[in-house]
Amino acid sequence: MNPLKHVAIIMDGNGRWGLKYKNSRNSGHKAGLNTVEKIIKETIKNKINFLTLFAFSTENWKRPKKEVNYLFNLLENFLINRIEDLHKQNIKLKILGSKKFSSKLNKLLNNAEKKTSKNTKLQINLALNYGSKSELINAFKKIKKNKNNINEKNLSKNLQTKNIPDPDLLIRTGNTKRLSNFLLWQLAYSEIFFEKKLWPSFNEKDYNKIITEYKNIKRNFGKI
Ligand code: IPE
Ligand code: IPE
Ligand code: MG
């Protein structure tokens, strides 16, 4: 059975779900938050140490302002209402991506990271305004500036995911088979599951089914 330390998820399909069931994309984002809560619980039950959630890409700024504002509003409320409980559950929150949001949201994110920084049960990495290409470019720039050698170890050390093991498992919901600029370096050897269900319809059972399947895969890492 394969160990499972780190699950990464591209939470896709909110907009389509919202349009299909409630006639608005934004209600899909709201419903998607319930799935986030379910999956966090189940991740803890499965004793997984790291959960990385792709919530907003550097490319998602191209969406209508109304949708972008709704998403960040949802996030603000989530932080205000849920951070205390997450902290009590010994969960550490880390943001991947550059924090270029409103001063209110930046503050909420910084406070949440600071408050939970010593927690040890589960680390949730929330990828927000995250893009893998810009993360890689910044890593190379830092290596160059410090006159270090370009090698795998130094590159990994200069990514935002330093000290985080690479994902063992990537799940993308929403019936789309692409990476959309997510963790391009870190996913080099991850097992990838593309799930047909839209994120708000994804549930604990679907998650556990994937985990069980993952655990039984023969992972080669180049060997035989
Ligand atoms: C993913 O769902 C969530 C974000 C990108 C914020 P989408 O909003 O991309 O949903 P679809 O793919 O349009 O259905
Ligand atoms: C990827 O989903 C980003 C997140 C889930 C946050 P998108 O819906 O933005 O991806 P594309 O644009 O369809 O590739
Ligand atoms: Mg999408």
Side-chain angles (χ1 to χ4, degrees):
M1 289 259 266
N2 296 315
L4 181 52
K5 276 198 173 150
H6 184 176
V7 176
I9 307 183
I10 301 174
M11 310 184 286
D12 195 23
N14 288 350
R16 278 165 286 162
W17 188 95
L19 284 178
K20 190 171 171 196
Y21 296 104
K22 310 256 176 189
N23 214 19
S24 89
R25 290 184 51 85
N26 284 345
S27 55
H29 294 308
K30 193 169 172 212
L33 203 52
N34 295 331
T35 308
V36 171
E37 297 273 6
K38 285 185 205 163
I39 295 308
I40 292 173
K41 270 198 200 126
E42 212 55 31
T43 302
I44 293 172
K45 273 197 200 156
N46 277 285
K47 301 194 165 60
I48 296 161
N49 307 103
F50 296 89
L51 174 66
T52 300
L53 300 173
F54 200 8
F56 195 87
S57 73
T58 45
E59 290 73 27
N60 287 145
W61 294 108
K62 294 173 191 158
R63 295 186 179 205
K65 214 167 173 225
K66 194 173 147 239
E67 180 165 336
V68 172
N69 286 344
Y70 186 88
L71 277 165
F72 288 122
N73 213 357
L74 209 59
L75 177 64
E76 278 183 14
N77 288 332
F78 176 79
L79 290 167
I80 292 167
N81 296 322
R82 298 288 295 112
I83 197 65
E84 196 58 52
D85 180 53
L86 295 180
H87 180 51
K88 274 193 194 130
Q89 290 185 66
N90 198 11
I91 293 173
K92 172 175 172 174
L93 186 73
K94 182 179 164 60
I95 306 303
L96 303 178
S98 50
K99 287 193 208 97
K100 288 184 183 146
F101 311 110
S102 68
S103 55
K104 182 182 176 193
L105 181 55
N106 285 339
K107 212 169 150 190
L108 282 167
L109 291 168
N110 286 332
N111 287 346
E113 281 187 302
K114 210 169 147 197
K115 187 185 183 81
T116 62
S117 64
K118 304 249 153 53
N119 291 345
T120 54
K121 180 157 230 147
L122 167 67
Q123 176 168 334
I124 298 177
N125 306 306
L126 195 60
L128 271 185
N129 189 21
Y130 172 85
S132 186
K133 287 188 178 180
S134 90
E135 183 192 29
L136 284 162
I137 288 168
N138 287 334
F140 282 118
K141 281 185 182 163
K142 277 192 252 167
I143 292 174
K144 194 174 163 193
K145 197 173 147 211
N146 296 325
K147 299 194 167 65
N148 289 329
N149 292 329
I150 293 182
N151 56 39
E152 285 194 22
K153 199 171 147 236
N154 284 340
L155 189 67
S156 294
K157 261 194 350 206
N158 283 287
L159 293 171
Q160 295 185 11
T161 49
K162 70 168 179 192
N163 302 327
I164 300 171
D166 286 342
D168 301 294
L169 170 59
L170 170 75
I171 301 169
R172 180 176 187 140
T173 59
N175 200 20
T176 304
K177 299 184 180 72
R178 54 178 172 251
L179 295 179
S180 304
N181 200 13
F182 188 48
L183 302 174
L184 301 177
W185 171 272
Q186 297 88 336
L187 293 172
Y189 260 110
S190 309
E191 302 299 333
I192 302 182
F193 285 72
F194 293 109
E195 161 71 44
K196 285 207 171 80
K197 280 194 181 178
L198 306 172
W199 179 247
S201 303
F202 189 68
N203 60 35
E204 295 89 339
K205 206 172 149 208
D206 304 317
Y207 188 41
N208 282 317
K209 196 168 160 232
I210 291 174
I211 290 173
T212 305
E213 210 179 307
Y214 157 83
K215 287 194 170 162
N216 290 297
I217 289 172
K218 184 170 174 283
R219 301 187 80 189
N220 290 346
F221 301 102
K223 295 177 248 170
I224 51 170

